[in-house]
Amino acid sequence: MAGAKTKSDDYPFTSSEWCSYDGILIPGSLSAAYDNTNVEWIEKLQSVIRNDIHHRRLKTMGVCFGHQCFAHAFGPSEDHIGKEG
């Protein structure tokens, strides 16, 4: 088992590193997935979810904060909230 410290931007760098995992667990957090005070590291995590985890189709489980962050990574941007097309 290996861990990454998301607030420290500690993610695998190479495709082989990512693919060496049997699965990804994004656990709960004292922060909220929609917390505006910690936007930078949460936005980075959501980018990693979209561009690294999902792109590689890695098995993933999100718990509380983790599943909210995963859903928010693919949800509408704030630019689209409240606007009808």
Side-chain angles (χ1 to χ4, degrees), residues 3-80:
K5 294 182 175 148
T6 57
K7 287 185 180 181
S8 301
D9 200 26
D10 177 30
Y11 296 100
F13 291 107
T14 66
S15 185
S16 62
E17 281 182 279
W18 277 109
C19 293
S20 70
Y21 296 111
D22 293 325
I24 306 293
L25 173 65
I26 305 172
S29 172
L30 295 175
S31 298
Y34 305 99
D35 188 354
N36 290 334
T37 62
N38 295 314
V39 171
E40 190 173 315
W41 76 269
I42 292 173
E43 285 181 355
K44 173 64 177 183
L45 173 58
Q46 291 170 354
S47 174
V48 168
I49 289 170
R50 282 188 304 272
N51 301 319
D52 294 305
I53 296 171
H54 181 71
H55 176 74
R56 291 180 173 85
R57 302 182 60 90
L58 299 173
K59 295 176 186 175
T60 306
M61 179 178 168
V63 178
C64 198
F65 168 85
H67 87 269
Q68 291 174 12
C69 204
F70 201 95
H72 189 59
F74 294 100
S77 70
E78 291 183 25
D79 295 342
H80 296 97

